[in-house]
Amino acid sequence: MNKNLRKIIRQTNLLVGGGITLFVITVAVFAPVLAPFHPVDDSDLMVSEEPPGAPYYLGTDIQGRDILSRVIYGARISLAIGLVSQTLNTIIGVLFGLSAGFFGGWWDDFVMGLTNIMLSIPALVFALAIMALLGPGLINVFIAMGFTNWSFSCRITRSQALSAKNLDYVKAARALGYGRIRLMFTQILPNIIGPILIIGTLGVAWAILLEAALSFLGLGVQPPTPSWGGMLSTAREQLFTAPWISIFPGIAIFITVLGLNLLGDGLRDILDPHTQTQHS
Amino acid sequence: MFAYAVRRLLQFIPTILAISLIIFILLNVLPGNAALMSRGEQDTGTLTTEDIEEMKRDWGLDKPLWYRYAVYLKGLVTGDLGKSFLRREPVNQLLKERIWPTLKLAMTAMLIAICLGVPLGFYSALRQGRIADTITMIGAVSGVSMPQFWLGLLLMYFVSVKFQLLPPQGYGEGSIKHIVLPAFTLGIGYVGLLARTTRAAVVEILSLDYIRTARAKGLSELLINQKHVMRNALILILTTAGLQFGDLMAQTVIVEKLFSWPGLGSLLVDSIFQRDIPVTQGCILVIISTFLLVNLIVDLLYGVIDPRIRASYK
């Protein structure tokens, strides 16, 4: 009984997380259809700081732009940043991890050393340093975040490659005359997709939070582009007069990240039998 | 144990060296003229090429990169981190003023996270699969998913503006009233994280053989939880807390900026905007060193908590 109940709870993680994620993706894709106003061009100073109510269901900001529309368009920015930067991280991590685990030797030592150093520099600090170097902007955010969070996927790929190297199916493929590169990508990689997918999903959630933080500090995506973090950054000054400007972009970030985290947890429960008994 | 401590301490040095090199390279290939920037944009128009060359010489920026790194390293060893481009004060002095507020904030937040997160996770594990467990875990994943500065904004609005219970921002000469909101804002995400870690650790330990043995011996649940479960879970919890401390130190940047807290984080952000490289470098180095130091202490604590580890290093 207890076990079944737990199974249902686990499935709920996946269902709720997947549902929320799908919802956010839909909103992002159909933003032009869903948004009642244009997020940047439809600014009307006559209706600046309107509280929520028709036709501005979530109110307007100081420049008289519809917050609902900006939140809807913001989904595009956040998802794009999350996906692009995490894809970069995954590619770097997998390439480093696979080759380190597979080739071993000095290359392995070097990659592990680099990974440990990357792990000891908090990603936010690293991203800040890179943003300081490159200046704010969307492309620079991709770079700052796409090259700073690969250590987790690298470590997991390496350990999996290391153990897979001596398994029978890999030995068999080697006996068949597969080259090293072919062995790595056709034999080992497909078998470690699960953990990589889990880390990737959680990584997207993490990247969305980090982008919001960078934008909040003024080092991320620049206005007037509607990014959730950027909206909160400008909302701070109107906290006393128009608190709704601060509330809705935050809810959007929260729901998106929550959905991705739940999805990641759910995927882990299904794909990773080793941690079935655990919850985190 | 002593040999272990020394070895861990020695590992510390190459790590900090490598990090200082990466940060140095990263920041010193910065496009734009740092010395020029530090004069402020309004009077750069009046500078001649000779002026700029002179300023570069003043700051040693005409030397090659490796030479500058050598100078920087020499300073690092003697504890001299250079001078701020902008304020013309030694970086040391600036850092000294800022480090205590940041440490105070980070430690208070961590304390909140541990004091709330660990009991919640423990409770959740003992109530595994029941409604209390589900609610706690939903709360925990929500805490992890919440953008900190947004929570901070909401707290600021409701606690300070609407009900006027606590001051909305500032350091207030270090009064307790002022630290409550920033510390909670910083800590709440880690409450969720530690609750999840603790729960996972306790759930796994509860399924192990020695717990069954303890039960079979007729020990009371309280004693089992205290002596067997908690002690073994503590290692994992401590590791997580230690590893998260670096992240927490980094997150102080946002919280400090939000609450106008005069710490390292706000100094770092300001220095980035002002392109004050020596200060940026110093801040990053101190933040990372603190993190490494905390993890060193955690590693040494393993030996104290877990006799198995102590034994393996004798």
Side-chain angles (χ1 to χ4, degrees), chain A residues 5 133 246 261 265 278-279, chain B residues 26 129 145 150 196 199 204:
Chain A
L5 196 73
L133 177 83
S246 303
N261 276 335
D265 282 356
Q278 297 181 16
H279 206 294
Chain B
L26 209 60
S145 308
W150 180 58
R196 279 156 67 100
R199 184 190 180 278
E204 196 179 307

Side-chain angles (χ1 to χ4, degrees), chain A residues 79-93:
Chain A
L79 281 185
I81 287 171
L83 285 174
V84 172
S85 59
Q86 187 51 42
T87 307
L88 270 172
N89 280 319
T90 305
I91 292 173
I92 298 171

